[in-house]
């Protein structure tokens, strides 16, 4: 049973426009959410996170929104740049030490 | 600043062979973990450790063993490799305060024939 779902395997946007990546979760015990970015042949790198007590967290061009009632979070990238092209993973932490990842979304930013 | 170092980067095994994937971190992180990444499956947790001498199972532990004798090292052992263990393996570590913010190694690509 997949507890963290990224329903869009891929997303393509034009440079300078907004990229919106979505993530849904089913476990209401998750209390911390994270986004990771992964380039080919490299390990994932941490991008941004949000606690369940907040509904928004911003870091430069990256903003994460959390809607607890809908069990939904999204990552906004504005403006999108070609260097943002990568796989983005949504992850969630529960009461134990396990981090559960979604399957990832491949973002392609076209020049 | 090495961060998380995984060796080897590539390995080909025959079914039934054993091997150990090495992972070392130089950040004095208490938490370490192993993930595998398969096409269309995302990252799945194999085993994790919250400190030296303490390990626990993740989502897909079968066929893998781990130990944590020091803070720095967290090796992953395959006792009898199977084709289903063909995957890319990532080791990750984090500080105890913000353990969800993982630092990953570059990965080890394992092929089992």
């Amino acid at each position: 049973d997949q507890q963290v779902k990224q329903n869009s395997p891929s997303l393509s946007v034009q440079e300078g426009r907004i990229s919106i990546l979505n993530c849904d979760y089913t476990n209401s015990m998750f209390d911390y959410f994270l986004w990771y970015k992964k380039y080919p042949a490299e390990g994932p790198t941490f991008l941004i996170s949000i606690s369940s007590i907040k509904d928004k967290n911003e870091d430069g061009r990256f903003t994460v929104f959390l809607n607890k009632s809908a069990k939904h979070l999204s990552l906004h990238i504005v403006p999108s740049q070609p260097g943002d092209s990568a796989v983005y993973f949504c992850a969630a932490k529960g009461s134990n030490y396990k981090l559960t990842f979604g399957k990832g979304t491949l973002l392609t930013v076209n020049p | 600043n090495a961060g998380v170092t995984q060796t080897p980067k590539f390995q080909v095994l025959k079914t039934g062979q054993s091997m150990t994937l090495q992972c070392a971190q130089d950040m004095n992180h208490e938490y370490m973990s192993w993930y595998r990444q398969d096409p269309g499956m995302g990252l799945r947790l194999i085993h994790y450790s919250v400190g030296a001498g303490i390990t626990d199972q993740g989502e897909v532990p079968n066929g893998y063993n781990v130990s944590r004798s020091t803070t720095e090292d967290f090796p992953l052992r395959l006792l009898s490799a199977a084709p289903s263990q063909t995957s890319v393996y990532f080791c990750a570590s984090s500080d105890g305060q913000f353990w969800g913010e993982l630092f990953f190694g570059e990965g080890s690509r394992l092929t089992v024939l």
Side-chain angles (χ1 to χ4, degrees), chain A residues 32 34 36 43 93 97 99 103, chain B residues 31 35 40 99-102 105:
Chain A
Y32 200 67
L34 308 95
Y36 286 81
K93 180 182 87 67
Y97 290 94
L99 199 60
K103 293 184 177 182
Chain B
Y31 181 90
Y35 286 85
W99 70 267
E101 298 175 14
L102 298 172

Side-chain angles (χ1 to χ4, degrees), chain A residues 32 34 36 38 41-46 49 87 89 93-94 96-104, chain B residues 31 35 37 40-43 45 48 50 57-59 90 98-107:
Chain A
Y32 200 67
L34 308 95
Y36 286 81
K38 185 183 182 303
E42 296 184 9
T45 55
F46 169 74
S49 63
V87 176
F89 290 101
K93 180 182 87 67
N96 54 27
Y97 290 94
K98 299 177 182 180
L99 199 60
T100 302
F101 283 81
K103 293 184 177 182
Chain B
Y31 181 90
Y35 286 85
Q37 184 188 16
M41 297 297 292
L43 292 159
L45 180 65
Y48 66 97
V50 298
Q57 296 182 350
E59 182 184 354
F90 290 99
F98 299 99
W99 70 267
E101 298 175 14
L102 298 172
F103 291 80
F104 283 85
E106 293 186 345

Side-chain angles (χ1 to χ4, degrees), chain A:
Chain A
D1 182 28
Q2 198 180 352
Q3 298 188 68
V4 177
K5 300 178 184 179
Q6 294 179 256
N7 292 319
S8 297
S10 63
L11 174 68
S12 183
V13 299
Q14 286 299 118
E15 180 178 6
R17 307 294 292 269
I18 184 171
S19 295
I20 300 176
L21 295 99
N22 294 304
C23 179
D24 296 296
Y25 62 96
T26 58
N27 189 342
S28 58
M29 298 302 294
F30 287 146
D31 61 2
Y32 200 67
F33 303 89
L34 308 95
W35 285 93
Y36 286 81
K37 176 180 179 179
K38 185 183 182 303
Y39 292 118
E42 296 184 9
T45 55
F46 169 74
L47 191 58
I48 192 169
S49 63
I50 187 167
S51 167
S52 60
I53 63 173
K54 296 186 176 182
D55 55 18
K56 177 183 174 181
N57 187 27
E58 192 172 353
D59 184 2
R61 297 186 297 114
F62 302 92
T63 303
V64 56
F65 296 92
L66 176 62
N67 183 333
K68 284 184 64 179
S69 61
K71 292 189 175 67
H72 176 83
L73 65 155
S74 61
L75 174 67
H76 292 211
I77 306 173
V78 183
S80 301
Q81 300 173 355
D84 296 328
S85 297
V87 176
Y88 289 79
F89 290 101
C90 171
K93 180 182 87 67
S95 57
N96 54 27
Y97 290 94
K98 299 177 182 180
L99 199 60
T100 302
F101 283 81
K103 293 184 177 182
T105 297
L106 173 63
L107 173 65
T108 302
V109 180
N110 301 301

Side-chain angles (χ1 to χ4, degrees), chain B residues 81-103:
Chain B
S84 62
Q85 294 178 302
T86 293
S87 187
V88 181
Y89 292 84
F90 290 99
C91 179
S93 72
S94 72
D95 181 272
Q97 290 291 322
F98 299 99
W99 70 267
E101 298 175 14
L102 298 172
F103 291 80

Side-chain angles (χ1 to χ4, degrees), chain B residues 68-83:
Chain B
R68 184 92 180 271
S69 56
T70 67
T71 299
E72 293 78 19
D73 300 299
F74 191 45
L76 179 72
R77 297 184 186 87
L78 286 73
L79 297 180
S80 179

